[in-house]
Amino acid sequence: MARETTAELLTVRQVLEELGGISRRTFYRWRELRLAPACIRLPNGELRVRRDVFNDWLAERAEGAAS
């Protein structure tokens, strides 16, 4: 059975742009520290971030967010 909805997969570049142009190095440092949104590693080695995971990750970091 096919999935009814397909989650949008963002490239690292798209994530960086949505975060206001942070550097690639910063993103990978966040990954080392386990602070970045969860990523999917494709068979070719590239990373993707699901849109819904990214949006949830941003919401968790909003100032004034419930603890």
Side-chain angles (χ1 to χ4, degrees), residues 10-55:
L10 302 171
T11 64
V12 171
R13 179 178 292 197
Q14 289 171 313
V15 170
L16 300 179
E17 289 173 3
E18 291 211 22
L19 291 174
I22 67 164
S23 73
R24 184 174 288 270
R25 176 66 187 120
T26 296
F27 179 79
Y28 281 99
R29 179 70 176 147
W30 288 353
R31 280 187 41 84
E32 290 172 13
L33 297 172
R34 300 188 185 278
L35 298 174
C39 296
I40 299 167
R41 185 170 301 279
L42 300 177
N44 65 0
E46 292 182 12
L47 296 176
R48 296 291 185 271
V49 178
R50 285 180 38 175
R51 167 61 73 184
D52 57 340
V53 170
F54 179 69
N55 289 341

mmCIF file of all heavy atoms in Angstrom, residues 10-55:
data_model
loop_
_atom_site.group_PDB
_atom_site.id
_atom_site.type_symbol
_atom_site.label_atom_id
_atom_site.label_comp_id
_atom_site.label_asym_id
_atom_site.label_seq_id
_atom_site.Cartn_x
_atom_site.Cartn_y
_atom_site.Cartn_z
ATOM 1 N N LEU A 10 13.845 18.271 2.862
ATOM 2 C CA LEU A 10 14.656 19.465 2.631
ATOM 3 C C LEU A 10 16.124 19.081 2.508
ATOM 4 O O LEU A 10 16.609 18.214 3.240
ATOM 5 C CB LEU A 10 14.509 20.432 3.800
ATOM 6 C CG LEU A 10 13.105 20.914 4.132
ATOM 7 C CD1 LEU A 10 13.104 21.689 5.439
ATOM 8 C CD2 LEU A 10 12.566 21.762 3.004
ATOM 9 N N THR A 11 16.830 19.749 1.625
ATOM 10 C CA THR A 11 18.274 19.571 1.541
ATOM 11 C C THR A 11 18.922 20.376 2.663
ATOM 12 O O THR A 11 18.295 21.254 3.266
ATOM 13 C CB THR A 11 18.818 20.063 0.188
ATOM 14 O OG1 THR A 11 18.597 21.481 0.107
ATOM 15 C CG2 THR A 11 18.171 19.352 -0.993
ATOM 16 N N VAL A 12 20.182 20.111 2.934
ATOM 17 C CA VAL A 12 20.914 20.887 3.931
ATOM 18 C C VAL A 12 20.918 22.352 3.517
ATOM 19 O O VAL A 12 20.697 23.237 4.344
ATOM 20 C CB VAL A 12 22.345 20.337 4.129
ATOM 21 C CG1 VAL A 12 23.165 21.268 4.997
ATOM 22 C CG2 VAL A 12 22.305 18.939 4.725
ATOM 23 N N ARG A 13 21.124 22.624 2.259
ATOM 24 C CA ARG A 13 21.129 24.010 1.766
ATOM 25 C C ARG A 13 19.807 24.709 2.068
ATOM 26 O O ARG A 13 19.787 25.859 2.508
ATOM 27 C CB ARG A 13 21.402 24.045 0.272
ATOM 28 C CG ARG A 13 21.388 25.467 -0.288
ATOM 29 C CD ARG A 13 21.713 25.484 -1.739
ATOM 30 N NE ARG A 13 23.115 25.083 -1.864
ATOM 31 C CZ ARG A 13 23.854 25.284 -2.920
ATOM 32 N NH1 ARG A 13 23.327 25.872 -3.979
ATOM 33 N NH2 ARG A 13 25.103 24.902 -2.959
ATOM 34 N N GLN A 14 18.689 24.031 1.854
ATOM 35 C CA GLN A 14 17.382 24.624 2.140
ATOM 36 C C GLN A 14 17.217 24.905 3.631
ATOM 37 O O GLN A 14 16.682 25.947 4.012
ATOM 38 C CB GLN A 14 16.260 23.702 1.661
ATOM 39 C CG GLN A 14 16.140 23.639 0.154
ATOM 40 C CD GLN A 14 15.172 22.563 -0.290
ATOM 41 O OE1 GLN A 14 15.231 21.432 0.182
ATOM 42 N NE2 GLN A 14 14.284 22.924 -1.200
ATOM 43 N N VAL A 15 17.681 23.988 4.466
ATOM 44 C CA VAL A 15 17.609 24.189 5.915
ATOM 45 C C VAL A 15 18.433 25.414 6.309
ATOM 46 O O VAL A 15 17.977 26.261 7.070
ATOM 47 C CB VAL A 15 18.077 22.932 6.677
ATOM 48 C CG1 VAL A 15 18.231 23.208 8.162
ATOM 49 C CG2 VAL A 15 17.113 21.769 6.449
ATOM 50 N N LEU A 16 19.647 25.508 5.769
ATOM 51 C CA LEU A 16 20.512 26.650 6.076
ATOM 52 C C LEU A 16 19.849 27.962 5.690
ATOM 53 O O LEU A 16 19.896 28.938 6.443
ATOM 54 C CB LEU A 16 21.862 26.509 5.367
ATOM 55 C CG LEU A 16 22.698 25.277 5.705
ATOM 56 C CD1 LEU A 16 23.986 25.271 4.901
ATOM 57 C CD2 LEU A 16 22.956 25.155 7.184
ATOM 58 N N GLU A 17 19.229 28.002 4.517
ATOM 59 C CA GLU A 17 18.552 29.218 4.050
ATOM 60 C C GLU A 17 17.377 29.571 4.950
ATOM 61 O O GLU A 17 17.175 30.732 5.286
ATOM 62 C CB GLU A 17 18.080 29.035 2.606
ATOM 63 C CG GLU A 17 19.222 29.027 1.606
ATOM 64 C CD GLU A 17 18.774 28.668 0.194
ATOM 65 O OE1 GLU A 17 17.557 28.469 -0.030
ATOM 66 O OE2 GLU A 17 19.651 28.575 -0.672
ATOM 67 N N GLU A 18 16.604 28.560 5.367
ATOM 68 C CA GLU A 18 15.447 28.824 6.218
ATOM 69 C C GLU A 18 15.864 29.296 7.601
ATOM 70 O O GLU A 18 15.097 29.961 8.294
ATOM 71 C CB GLU A 18 14.561 27.580 6.314
ATOM 72 C CG GLU A 18 13.876 27.291 5.001
ATOM 73 C CD GLU A 18 12.530 26.628 5.168
ATOM 74 O OE1 GLU A 18 11.909 26.751 6.245
ATOM 75 O OE2 GLU A 18 12.101 25.998 4.201
ATOM 76 N N LEU A 19 17.076 28.956 8.010
ATOM 77 C CA LEU A 19 17.589 29.397 9.311
ATOM 78 C C LEU A 19 18.308 30.732 9.200
ATOM 79 O O LEU A 19 19.045 31.122 10.101
ATOM 80 C CB LEU A 19 18.518 28.332 9.895
ATOM 81 C CG LEU A 19 17.828 27.039 10.329
ATOM 82 C CD1 LEU A 19 18.850 26.003 10.745
ATOM 83 C CD2 LEU A 19 16.840 27.314 11.453
ATOM 84 N N GLY A 20 18.102 31.418 8.113
ATOM 85 C CA GLY A 20 18.664 32.754 7.959
ATOM 86 C C GLY A 20 20.073 32.773 7.413
ATOM 87 O O GLY A 20 20.791 33.750 7.581
ATOM 88 N N GLY A 21 20.479 31.686 6.780
ATOM 89 C CA GLY A 21 21.792 31.660 6.151
ATOM 90 C C GLY A 21 22.927 31.273 7.085
ATOM 91 O O GLY A 21 24.053 31.725 6.891
ATOM 92 N N ILE A 22 22.642 30.424 8.080
ATOM 93 C CA ILE A 22 23.741 29.955 8.934
ATOM 94 C C ILE A 22 24.728 29.168 8.084
ATOM 95 O O ILE A 22 24.395 28.689 7.001
ATOM 96 C CB ILE A 22 23.253 29.100 10.120
ATOM 97 C CG1 ILE A 22 22.662 27.777 9.639
ATOM 98 C CG2 ILE A 22 22.313 29.869 11.010
ATOM 99 C CD1 ILE A 22 22.531 26.746 10.726
ATOM 100 N N SER A 23 25.932 29.027 8.572
ATOM 101 C CA SER A 23 26.952 28.335 7.783
ATOM 102 C C SER A 23 26.755 26.823 7.843
ATOM 103 O O SER A 23 26.181 26.280 8.801
ATOM 104 C CB SER A 23 28.353 28.685 8.301
ATOM 105 O OG SER A 23 28.596 28.050 9.541
ATOM 106 N N ARG A 24 27.245 26.171 6.812
ATOM 107 C CA ARG A 24 27.213 24.710 6.747
ATOM 108 C C ARG A 24 27.984 24.129 7.933
ATOM 109 O O ARG A 24 27.571 23.149 8.538
ATOM 110 C CB ARG A 24 27.816 24.245 5.416
ATOM 111 C CG ARG A 24 27.763 22.763 5.189
ATOM 112 C CD ARG A 24 28.238 22.416 3.786
ATOM 113 N NE ARG A 24 27.273 22.814 2.787
ATOM 114 C CZ ARG A 24 26.281 22.033 2.350
ATOM 115 N NH1 ARG A 24 26.145 20.824 2.808
ATOM 116 N NH2 ARG A 24 25.445 22.477 1.450
ATOM 117 N N ARG A 25 29.105 24.769 8.275
ATOM 118 C CA ARG A 25 29.924 24.304 9.399
ATOM 119 C C ARG A 25 29.140 24.338 10.709
ATOM 120 O O ARG A 25 29.231 23.421 11.518
ATOM 121 C CB ARG A 25 31.201 25.151 9.515
ATOM 122 C CG ARG A 25 32.052 24.819 10.702
ATOM 123 C CD ARG A 25 32.647 23.409 10.586
ATOM 124 N NE ARG A 25 33.316 23.062 11.815
ATOM 125 C CZ ARG A 25 32.985 22.030 12.583
ATOM 126 N NH1 ARG A 25 31.999 21.237 12.237
ATOM 127 N NH2 ARG A 25 33.632 21.765 13.684
ATOM 128 N N THR A 26 28.358 25.396 10.914
ATOM 129 C CA THR A 26 27.531 25.495 12.119
ATOM 130 C C THR A 26 26.529 24.354 12.170
ATOM 131 O O THR A 26 26.343 23.716 13.207
ATOM 132 C CB THR A 26 26.806 26.852 12.171
ATOM 133 O OG1 THR A 26 27.786 27.889 12.272
ATOM 134 C CG2 THR A 26 25.845 26.940 13.346
ATOM 135 N N PHE A 27 25.881 24.084 11.035
ATOM 136 C CA PHE A 27 24.899 23.001 10.991
ATOM 137 C C PHE A 27 25.546 21.670 11.348
ATOM 138 O O PHE A 27 25.010 20.907 12.158
ATOM 139 C CB PHE A 27 24.249 22.934 9.601
ATOM 140 C CG PHE A 27 23.240 21.831 9.475
ATOM 141 C CD1 PHE A 27 21.967 21.986 9.998
ATOM 142 C CD2 PHE A 27 23.563 20.640 8.850
ATOM 143 C CE1 PHE A 27 21.027 20.969 9.902
ATOM 144 C CE2 PHE A 27 22.636 19.619 8.744
ATOM 145 C CZ PHE A 27 21.369 19.787 9.270
ATOM 146 N N TYR A 28 26.699 21.389 10.764
ATOM 147 C CA TYR A 28 27.356 20.115 11.044
ATOM 148 C C TYR A 28 27.881 20.053 12.479
ATOM 149 O O TYR A 28 27.908 18.977 13.089
ATOM 150 C CB TYR A 28 28.447 19.822 10.024
ATOM 151 C CG TYR A 28 27.852 19.301 8.737
ATOM 152 C CD1 TYR A 28 27.651 20.134 7.644
ATOM 153 C CD2 TYR A 28 27.448 17.976 8.633
ATOM 154 C CE1 TYR A 28 27.078 19.668 6.478
ATOM 155 C CE2 TYR A 28 26.864 17.498 7.469
ATOM 156 C CZ TYR A 28 26.685 18.344 6.399
ATOM 157 O OH TYR A 28 26.101 17.871 5.253
ATOM 158 N N ARG A 29 28.243 21.193 13.047
ATOM 159 C CA ARG A 29 28.632 21.234 14.458
ATOM 160 C C ARG A 29 27.424 20.918 15.332
ATOM 161 O O ARG A 29 27.527 20.177 16.305
ATOM 162 C CB ARG A 29 29.210 22.612 14.797
ATOM 163 C CG ARG A 29 29.603 22.756 16.225
ATOM 164 C CD ARG A 29 30.829 21.918 16.549
ATOM 165 N NE ARG A 29 31.202 22.182 17.931
ATOM 166 C CZ ARG A 29 31.731 21.277 18.717
ATOM 167 N NH1 ARG A 29 32.008 20.088 18.272
ATOM 168 N NH2 ARG A 29 32.027 21.584 19.952
ATOM 169 N N TRP A 30 26.271 21.479 14.989
ATOM 170 C CA TRP A 30 25.054 21.163 15.722
ATOM 171 C C TRP A 30 24.756 19.670 15.648
ATOM 172 O O TRP A 30 24.308 19.080 16.621
ATOM 173 C CB TRP A 30 23.869 21.937 15.160
ATOM 174 C CG TRP A 30 23.860 23.403 15.468
ATOM 175 C CD1 TRP A 30 24.711 24.091 16.295
ATOM 176 C CD2 TRP A 30 22.957 24.366 14.952
ATOM 177 N NE1 TRP A 30 24.385 25.418 16.312
ATOM 178 C CE2 TRP A 30 23.316 25.624 15.501
ATOM 179 C CE3 TRP A 30 21.889 24.302 14.070
ATOM 180 C CZ2 TRP A 30 22.627 26.792 15.204
ATOM 181 C CZ3 TRP A 30 21.205 25.468 13.773
ATOM 182 C CH2 TRP A 30 21.569 26.698 14.336
ATOM 183 N N ARG A 31 25.020 19.084 14.482
ATOM 184 C CA ARG A 31 24.812 17.629 14.352
ATOM 185 C C ARG A 31 25.745 16.873 15.287
ATOM 186 O O ARG A 31 25.322 15.923 15.946
ATOM 187 C CB ARG A 31 25.025 17.169 12.909
ATOM 188 C CG ARG A 31 23.813 17.446 12.043
ATOM 189 C CD ARG A 31 23.896 16.871 10.651
ATOM 190 N NE ARG A 31 24.443 15.560 10.488
ATOM 191 C CZ ARG A 31 23.765 14.412 10.623
ATOM 192 N NH1 ARG A 31 22.487 14.425 10.953
ATOM 193 N NH2 ARG A 31 24.358 13.249 10.409
ATOM 194 N N GLU A 32 27.000 17.270 15.363
ATOM 195 C CA GLU A 32 27.958 16.626 16.266
ATOM 196 C C GLU A 32 27.486 16.706 17.710
ATOM 197 O O GLU A 32 27.667 15.763 18.479
ATOM 198 C CB GLU A 32 29.333 17.298 16.159
ATOM 199 C CG GLU A 32 30.061 17.062 14.873
ATOM 200 C CD GLU A 32 31.321 17.915 14.756
ATOM 201 O OE1 GLU A 32 31.764 18.504 15.771
ATOM 202 O OE2 GLU A 32 31.866 17.996 13.641
ATOM 203 N N LEU A 33 26.894 17.837 18.058
ATOM 204 C CA LEU A 33 26.417 18.066 19.425
ATOM 205 C C LEU A 33 24.992 17.542 19.649
ATOM 206 O O LEU A 33 24.441 17.707 20.737
ATOM 207 C CB LEU A 33 26.469 19.564 19.739
ATOM 208 C CG LEU A 33 27.864 20.188 19.720
ATOM 209 C CD1 LEU A 33 27.769 21.704 19.852
ATOM 210 C CD2 LEU A 33 28.732 19.591 20.812
ATOM 211 N N ARG A 34 24.415 16.968 18.626
ATOM 212 C CA ARG A 34 23.035 16.456 18.656
ATOM 213 C C ARG A 34 22.015 17.560 18.952
ATOM 214 O O ARG A 34 21.046 17.353 19.676
ATOM 215 C CB ARG A 34 22.902 15.294 19.634
ATOM 216 C CG ARG A 34 23.792 14.118 19.287
ATOM 217 C CD ARG A 34 23.496 12.933 20.152
ATOM 218 N NE ARG A 34 24.420 11.843 19.911
ATOM 219 C CZ ARG A 34 24.339 10.951 18.929
ATOM 220 N NH1 ARG A 34 23.360 11.037 18.067
ATOM 221 N NH2 ARG A 34 25.217 9.983 18.814
ATOM 222 N N LEU A 35 22.258 18.717 18.378
ATOM 223 C CA LEU A 35 21.356 19.856 18.524
ATOM 224 C C LEU A 35 20.554 20.128 17.259
ATOM 225 O O LEU A 35 19.586 20.886 17.294
ATOM 226 C CB LEU A 35 22.153 21.118 18.893
ATOM 227 C CG LEU A 35 22.917 21.064 20.210
ATOM 228 C CD1 LEU A 35 23.781 22.319 20.364
ATOM 229 C CD2 LEU A 35 21.971 20.920 21.385
ATOM 230 N N ALA A 36 20.971 19.573 16.146
ATOM 231 C CA ALA A 36 20.323 19.797 14.848
ATOM 232 C C ALA A 36 19.072 18.924 14.728
ATOM 233 O O ALA A 36 18.914 17.942 15.461
ATOM 234 C CB ALA A 36 21.293 19.460 13.722
ATOM 235 N N PRO A 37 18.186 19.276 13.811
ATOM 236 C CA PRO A 37 17.025 18.412 13.580
ATOM 237 C C PRO A 37 17.483 17.056 13.056
ATOM 238 O O PRO A 37 18.542 16.947 12.429
ATOM 239 C CB PRO A 37 16.211 19.171 12.528
ATOM 240 C CG PRO A 37 17.173 20.108 11.881
ATOM 241 C CD PRO A 37 18.204 20.424 12.902
ATOM 242 N N ALA A 38 16.698 16.034 13.340
ATOM 243 C CA ALA A 38 17.014 14.682 12.873
ATOM 244 C C ALA A 38 17.096 14.654 11.350
ATOM 245 O O ALA A 38 16.256 15.232 10.664
ATOM 246 C CB ALA A 38 15.954 13.702 13.356
ATOM 247 N N CYS A 39 18.126 13.991 10.850
ATOM 248 C CA CYS A 39 18.360 13.914 9.411
ATOM 249 C C CYS A 39 18.193 12.487 8.914
ATOM 250 O O CYS A 39 18.307 11.533 9.672
ATOM 251 C CB CYS A 39 19.774 14.382 9.081
ATOM 252 S SG CYS A 39 20.072 16.108 9.483
ATOM 253 N N ILE A 40 17.951 12.396 7.627
ATOM 254 C CA ILE A 40 17.901 11.114 6.931
ATOM 255 C C ILE A 40 19.110 11.083 6.012
ATOM 256 O O ILE A 40 19.322 12.018 5.245
ATOM 257 C CB ILE A 40 16.612 10.991 6.086
ATOM 258 C CG1 ILE A 40 15.377 11.062 6.986
ATOM 259 C CG2 ILE A 40 16.624 9.725 5.242
ATOM 260 C CD1 ILE A 40 14.081 11.253 6.218
ATOM 261 N N ARG A 41 19.904 10.020 6.094
ATOM 262 C CA ARG A 41 21.050 9.867 5.189
ATOM 263 C C ARG A 41 20.605 8.991 4.020
ATOM 264 O O ARG A 41 20.192 7.850 4.207
ATOM 265 C CB ARG A 41 22.254 9.253 5.889
ATOM 266 C CG ARG A 41 23.475 9.220 4.969
ATOM 267 C CD ARG A 41 24.744 8.841 5.673
ATOM 268 N NE ARG A 41 25.107 9.730 6.759
ATOM 269 C CZ ARG A 41 25.727 10.905 6.607
ATOM 270 N NH1 ARG A 41 26.025 11.336 5.401
ATOM 271 N NH2 ARG A 41 26.030 11.645 7.651
ATOM 272 N N LEU A 42 20.692 9.543 2.822
ATOM 273 C CA LEU A 42 20.318 8.820 1.607
ATOM 274 C C LEU A 42 21.435 7.845 1.220
ATOM 275 O O LEU A 42 22.578 7.999 1.673
ATOM 276 C CB LEU A 42 20.061 9.806 0.470
ATOM 277 C CG LEU A 42 18.946 10.830 0.717
ATOM 278 C CD1 LEU A 42 18.855 11.782 -0.460
ATOM 279 C CD2 LEU A 42 17.624 10.150 0.977
ATOM 280 N N PRO A 43 21.137 6.860 0.373
ATOM 281 C CA PRO A 43 22.169 5.914 -0.048
ATOM 282 C C PRO A 43 23.402 6.566 -0.678
ATOM 283 O O PRO A 43 24.502 6.026 -0.597
ATOM 284 C CB PRO A 43 21.443 5.023 -1.059
ATOM 285 C CG PRO A 43 20.011 5.081 -0.646
ATOM 286 C CD PRO A 43 19.814 6.485 -0.136
ATOM 287 N N ASN A 44 23.236 7.747 -1.272
ATOM 288 C CA ASN A 44 24.382 8.439 -1.880
ATOM 289 C C ASN A 44 25.162 9.264 -0.858
ATOM 290 O O ASN A 44 26.102 9.967 -1.208
ATOM 291 C CB ASN A 44 23.933 9.313 -3.052
ATOM 292 C CG ASN A 44 23.031 10.451 -2.623
ATOM 293 O OD1 ASN A 44 22.725 10.619 -1.457
ATOM 294 N ND2 ASN A 44 22.593 11.224 -3.603
ATOM 295 N N GLY A 45 24.752 9.211 0.420
ATOM 296 C CA GLY A 45 25.460 9.914 1.483
ATOM 297 C C GLY A 45 24.928 11.303 1.792
ATOM 298 O O GLY A 45 25.323 11.905 2.782
ATOM 299 N N GLU A 46 24.035 11.825 0.964
ATOM 300 C CA GLU A 46 23.487 13.158 1.207
ATOM 301 C C GLU A 46 22.479 13.115 2.344
ATOM 302 O O GLU A 46 21.854 12.092 2.601
ATOM 303 C CB GLU A 46 22.811 13.694 -0.057
ATOM 304 C CG GLU A 46 23.794 13.990 -1.170
ATOM 305 C CD GLU A 46 23.117 14.577 -2.396
ATOM 306 O OE1 GLU A 46 21.926 14.960 -2.309
ATOM 307 O OE2 GLU A 46 23.779 14.654 -3.435
ATOM 308 N N LEU A 47 22.328 14.250 3.023
ATOM 309 C CA LEU A 47 21.388 14.363 4.127
ATOM 310 C C LEU A 47 20.121 15.066 3.680
ATOM 311 O O LEU A 47 20.159 15.973 2.849
ATOM 312 C CB LEU A 47 22.007 15.158 5.281
ATOM 313 C CG LEU A 47 23.212 14.555 5.956
ATOM 314 C CD1 LEU A 47 23.749 15.523 7.009
ATOM 315 C CD2 LEU A 47 22.890 13.228 6.585
ATOM 316 N N ARG A 48 19.019 14.677 4.290
ATOM 317 C CA ARG A 48 17.742 15.349 4.090
ATOM 318 C C ARG A 48 17.079 15.489 5.452
ATOM 319 O O ARG A 48 17.293 14.694 6.351
ATOM 320 C CB ARG A 48 16.804 14.549 3.169
ATOM 321 C CG ARG A 48 17.300 14.382 1.745
ATOM 322 C CD ARG A 48 17.273 15.705 1.003
ATOM 323 N NE ARG A 48 17.630 15.572 -0.379
ATOM 324 C CZ ARG A 48 18.872 15.648 -0.850
ATOM 325 N NH1 ARG A 48 19.879 15.827 -0.030
ATOM 326 N NH2 ARG A 48 19.118 15.528 -2.128
ATOM 327 N N VAL A 49 16.245 16.522 5.573
ATOM 328 C CA VAL A 49 15.473 16.749 6.787
ATOM 329 C C VAL A 49 14.010 16.806 6.394
ATOM 330 O O VAL A 49 13.642 17.570 5.487
ATOM 331 C CB VAL A 49 15.887 18.070 7.481
ATOM 332 C CG1 VAL A 49 15.048 18.308 8.721
ATOM 333 C CG2 VAL A 49 17.363 18.054 7.820
ATOM 334 N N ARG A 50 13.192 16.003 7.045
ATOM 335 C CA ARG A 50 11.764 16.044 6.747
ATOM 336 C C ARG A 50 11.195 17.379 7.196
ATOM 337 O O ARG A 50 11.545 17.901 8.244
ATOM 338 C CB ARG A 50 11.036 14.909 7.465
ATOM 339 C CG ARG A 50 11.270 13.571 6.834
ATOM 340 C CD ARG A 50 10.560 12.474 7.545
ATOM 341 N NE ARG A 50 9.244 12.889 8.012
ATOM 342 C CZ ARG A 50 8.378 12.066 8.584
ATOM 343 N NH1 ARG A 50 8.688 10.819 8.782
ATOM 344 N NH2 ARG A 50 7.220 12.507 8.990
ATOM 345 N N ARG A 51 10.339 17.963 6.382
ATOM 346 C CA ARG A 51 9.733 19.266 6.667
ATOM 347 C C ARG A 51 9.035 19.259 8.024
ATOM 348 O O ARG A 51 9.201 20.183 8.818
ATOM 349 C CB ARG A 51 8.760 19.629 5.544
ATOM 350 C CG ARG A 51 7.818 20.784 5.834
ATOM 351 C CD ARG A 51 8.514 22.082 6.100
ATOM 352 N NE ARG A 51 9.060 22.624 4.870
ATOM 353 C CZ ARG A 51 9.792 23.719 4.828
ATOM 354 N NH1 ARG A 51 10.056 24.387 5.926
ATOM 355 N NH2 ARG A 51 10.280 24.149 3.703
ATOM 356 N N ASP A 52 8.257 18.230 8.324
ATOM 357 C CA ASP A 52 7.533 18.205 9.595
ATOM 358 C C ASP A 52 8.487 18.115 10.787
ATOM 359 O O ASP A 52 8.264 18.760 11.813
ATOM 360 C CB ASP A 52 6.492 17.088 9.627
ATOM 361 C CG ASP A 52 7.064 15.704 9.372
ATOM 362 O OD1 ASP A 52 8.165 15.582 8.802
ATOM 363 O OD2 ASP A 52 6.390 14.719 9.744
ATOM 364 N N VAL A 53 9.570 17.367 10.651
ATOM 365 C CA VAL A 53 10.574 17.277 11.712
ATOM 366 C C VAL A 53 11.245 18.633 11.913
ATOM 367 O O VAL A 53 11.448 19.089 13.045
ATOM 368 C CB VAL A 53 11.620 16.178 11.389
ATOM 369 C CG1 VAL A 53 12.804 16.234 12.340
ATOM 370 C CG2 VAL A 53 10.968 14.805 11.410
ATOM 371 N N PHE A 54 11.566 19.303 10.818
ATOM 372 C CA PHE A 54 12.195 20.623 10.884
ATOM 373 C C PHE A 54 11.274 21.637 11.562
ATOM 374 O O PHE A 54 11.693 22.390 12.448
ATOM 375 C CB PHE A 54 12.572 21.093 9.475
ATOM 376 C CG PHE A 54 13.214 22.447 9.434
ATOM 377 C CD1 PHE A 54 14.485 22.639 9.962
ATOM 378 C CD2 PHE A 54 12.566 23.527 8.872
ATOM 379 C CE1 PHE A 54 15.090 23.898 9.935
ATOM 380 C CE2 PHE A 54 13.159 24.776 8.834
ATOM 381 C CZ PHE A 54 14.422 24.956 9.370
ATOM 382 N N ASN A 55 9.993 21.648 11.181
ATOM 383 C CA ASN A 55 9.039 22.581 11.776
ATOM 384 C C ASN A 55 8.879 22.323 13.273
ATOM 385 O O ASN A 55 8.818 23.264 14.071
ATOM 386 C CB ASN A 55 7.692 22.514 11.066
ATOM 387 C CG ASN A 55 7.752 23.113 9.676
ATOM 388 O OD1 ASN A 55 8.646 23.877 9.339
ATOM 389 N ND2 ASN A 55 6.791 22.742 8.844
#
